[in-house]
């Protein structure tokens, strides 16, 4: 896989009226382009070819259990934060056939996806950090996943700094945003009159060579810095430190777990929208004539009743134990397994939880309220 190199920013300036030239350069380089458009009332990544397909002046309101887009008279294209979909489905497919079997003659054939080179426009820093976590799990753990790798190798990433934070964002406290601080092919920072643009890889540089960027002015660089500082300062939520989160293991009997269980519906929305969650299940589907079968992988969730089933026994038989598994694994167990917490502060699980359960508030309550032997 071609890795995007992490380099210092040396941006040039692209006036707003010339933004289409960047998209043309990406498409001419052989990529299909996925960009943020409004679909079903939310920002979603869809195939685009034209900057006019991007919505000007759109902002978002994201609170526990609430997501609303708002139209303003502004000119900016990226003043929202993110929709429900991160990069996860682009590499780790929600549902796919892994291999097929034939009975006569007996054969097993891996079914790899047929993937086009794909550029994704407007990727936020929290989602880049989540992709790095998924890469570590699917590519660098023992035995790289070939299906994930096929898709990941074809991904061209165009990141963008967040100039504002949504109410549910807390990436500053996890160190994953709000400005792009992970490897990208091209990075963007949107200003009032255009974009600061920099390359982060040879592939990104090859695209930018086709575009005549102006030199960035000191004032523009200062505005970029100011916007990132502003977005970080807007964040009201935060997670405790990684070290403090390890103490969740000492609080497994805390009364607050029951309080959460009484609100949690066990719907699994939080794991579906989470850009780092990677649990899956596989099914062996046999054809009606019994001559062939396929092995299918689909996303699973630690909130599904069957997820902890072993030999017919459900290890986690109630919602309390499932939520506790999700939170302690994400915020403590991953530190031991992955070297960092499994949360990048995107806030999606807060926004898209139908009852507004908020992992920052729940972990605070469990860590800091009551005594250890509650
Ligand atoms: S746990 Fe929640 S806030 Fe953290 S990365 Fe997943 S969805 Fe985002
Ligand atoms: S925490 Fe919210 S989103 Fe997650 S399973 Fe419970 S009700 Fe659903």
């Amino acid at each position: 896989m071609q890795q995007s190199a992490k380099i210092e920013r040396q941006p040039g300036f692209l006036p707003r009226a010339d933004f289409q030239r960047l998209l043309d350069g990406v498409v001419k380089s052989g990529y299909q382009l996925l960009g943020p458009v409004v679909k079903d009332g939310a920002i979603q990544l869809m195939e685009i070819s034209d900057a006019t397909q991007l919505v000007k002046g759109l902002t978002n309101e994201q609170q526990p259990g609430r997501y609303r887009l708002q139209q303003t008279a502004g000119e900016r294209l990226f003043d929202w934060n993110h929709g429900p979909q991160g990069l996860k489905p682009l590499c780790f497919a929600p549902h796919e056939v892994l291999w097929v079997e034939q009975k006569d003659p007996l054969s097993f054939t891996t079914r790899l996806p047929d993937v086009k080179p794909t550029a994704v426009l407007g990727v936020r820093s929290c989602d880049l950090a989540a992709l790095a976590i998924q890469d570590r799990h699917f590519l660098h753990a023992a035995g790289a996943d070939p299906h994930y790798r096929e898709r990941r190798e074809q991904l061209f990433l165009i990141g963008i700094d967040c100039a504002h934070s949504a109410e549910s964002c807390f990436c500053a406290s996890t160190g994953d945003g709000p400005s792009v601080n992970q490897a990208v092919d091209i990075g963007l920072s949107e200003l009032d009159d255009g974009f600061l643009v920099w390359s982060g890889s040879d592939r990104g540089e090859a695209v930018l060579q086709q575009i005549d960027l102006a030199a960035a002015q000191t004032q523009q660089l200062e505005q970029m810095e100011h916007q990132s500082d502003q977005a970080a300062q807007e964040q009201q939520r935060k997670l405790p430190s990684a070290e403090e989160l390890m103490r969740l293991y000492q609080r497994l009997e805390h009364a607050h777990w029951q309080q959460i269980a009484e609100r949690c519906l066990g719907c699994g929305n939080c794991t579906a929208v989470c850009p780092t969650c990677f649990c899956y299940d596989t099914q062996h589907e046999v054809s009606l004539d019994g001559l062939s079968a396929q092995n299918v992988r689909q996303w699973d969730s630690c909130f599904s009743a069957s997820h902890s089933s072993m030999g017919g026994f459900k290890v986690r038989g109630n919602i309390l134990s499932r939520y506790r598994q999700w939170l302690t694994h994400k915020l403590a167990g991953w530190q031991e397994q992955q070297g960092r917490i499994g949360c990048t502060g995107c806030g999606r699980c807060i926004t898209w939880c139908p009852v507004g359960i908020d992992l920052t508030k729940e972990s605070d309550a469990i860590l800091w309220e009551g005594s250890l032997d509650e």
Side-chain angles (χ1 to χ4, degrees):
M1 183 178 76
Q2 181 172 352
Q3 293 286 344
S4 306
K6 189 172 181 179
I7 63 166
E8 293 299 318
R9 295 181 181 190
Q10 293 179 327
F13 178 69
L14 184 65
R16 183 173 301 287
D18 292 344
F19 191 60
Q20 180 64 38
R21 284 171 34 215
L22 175 64
L23 306 193
D24 290 343
V26 170
V27 172
K28 269 189 214 151
S29 300
Y31 297 98
Q32 72 167 349
L33 181 61
L34 298 186
V37 299
V38 178
K39 185 165 183 280
D40 300 331
I43 294 283
Q44 299 196 41
L45 292 172
M46 307 293 289
E47 188 165 357
I48 61 165
S49 58
D50 199 297
T52 60
Q53 292 170 267
L54 305 169
V55 184
K56 281 184 191 168
L58 207 63
T59 62
N60 61 191
E61 179 194 350
Q62 298 200 41
Q63 295 177 16
R66 183 177 169 82
Y67 177 93
R68 293 288 185 279
L69 294 175
Q70 289 152 340
Q71 186 64 59
T72 72
E75 287 289 306
R76 291 193 180 217
L77 299 175
F78 298 94
D79 250 0
W80 42 273
N81 296 95
H82 47 50
Q85 175 193 4
L87 293 169
K88 180 167 78 170
L90 301 179
C91 294
F92 171 35
H95 182 276
E96 69 180 328
V97 176
L98 298 183
W99 74 78
V100 293
E101 304 162 26
Q102 295 294 333
K103 189 173 180 187
D104 189 18
L106 184 62
S107 67
F108 296 84
T109 310
T110 303
R111 175 83 63 80
L112 289 176
D114 183 17
V115 192
K116 292 184 196 161
T118 301
V120 188
L121 173 65
V123 185
R124 306 297 172 154
S125 181
C126 54
D127 285 337
L128 293 165
L131 184 69
I133 290 175
Q134 292 237 315
D135 283 354
R136 203 173 302 138
H137 176 73
F138 284 107
L139 298 181
H140 306 310
D145 183 295
H147 297 79
Y148 183 97
R149 187 179 58 215
E150 287 290 305
R151 295 189 173 88
R152 180 68 179 91
E153 281 178 342
Q154 301 294 343
L155 217 51
F156 182 97
L157 299 167
I158 307 173
I160 186 150
D161 290 344
C162 283
H164 292 284
S165 293
E167 198 179 315
S168 51
C169 296
F170 56 96
C171 61
S173 73
T174 65
D176 298 309
S179 57
V180 170
N181 61 9
Q182 297 276 336
V184 286
D185 294 295
I186 291 176
L188 301 173
S189 192
E190 186 170 21
L191 309 179
D192 292 335
D193 51 353
F195 296 84
L196 290 174
V197 185
W198 64 96
S199 67
S201 70
D202 293 344
R203 298 187 303 180
E205 186 59 34
V207 171
L208 295 190
Q209 296 264 327
Q210 305 169 44
I211 300 164
D212 197 17
L213 295 175
Q217 305 298 308
T218 304
Q219 193 185 358
Q220 292 170 326
L221 297 171
E222 286 172 354
Q223 189 183 1
M224 174 175 73
E225 294 293 328
H226 171 72
Q227 289 182 166
S228 290
D229 291 347
Q230 172 183 274
Q233 283 164 15
E234 285 171 0
Q235 295 185 9
Q236 301 298 312
R237 286 179 163 73
K238 67 182 179 65
L239 271 183
S241 70
E243 193 177 18
E244 289 166 339
L245 288 167
M246 289 304 289
R247 297 182 68 215
L248 286 169
Y249 282 140
Q250 298 166 25
R251 315 286 273 184
L252 296 180
E253 302 306 321
H254 195 287
H256 193 73
W257 295 113
Q258 180 57 34
Q259 210 264 13
I260 299 168
E262 286 166 10
R263 288 176 286 146
C264 176
L265 308 174
C267 65
N269 267 15
C270 47
T271 57
V273 297
C274 178
T276 69
C277 279
F278 49 64
C279 287
Y280 60 81
D281 191 14
T282 57
Q283 303 286 339
H284 196 235
E285 297 178 350
V286 182
S287 65
L288 284 176
D289 60 11
L291 296 177
S292 63
Q294 57 184 15
N295 190 270
V296 179
R297 171 167 69 184
Q298 60 190 17
W299 289 2
D300 199 359
S301 164
C302 45
F303 286 92
S304 75
S306 61
H307 186 67
S308 68
S309 181
M310 292 171 69
F313 173 71
K314 290 186 180 58
V315 176
R316 290 183 285 278
N318 56 30
I319 287 183
L320 184 155
S321 58
R322 291 179 207 145
Y323 187 90
R324 185 174 58 191
Q325 158 66 20
W326 182 68
L327 198 77
T328 54
H329 186 218
K330 176 103 25 208
L331 300 182
W334 282 42
Q335 294 190 51
E336 295 165 322
Q337 294 170 328
Q338 308 268 351
R340 61 156 294 165
I341 63 169
C343 174
T344 64
C346 75
R348 283 189 182 91
C349 58
I350 301 172
T351 299
W352 296 94
C353 172
V355 293
I357 290 174
D358 176 344
L359 82 168
T360 65
K361 299 222 173 329
E362 314 310 342
S363 53
D364 269 352
I366 291 160
L367 284 174
W368 312 125
E369 291 175 14
S371 63
L372 272 177
D373 51 10
E374 261 185 291

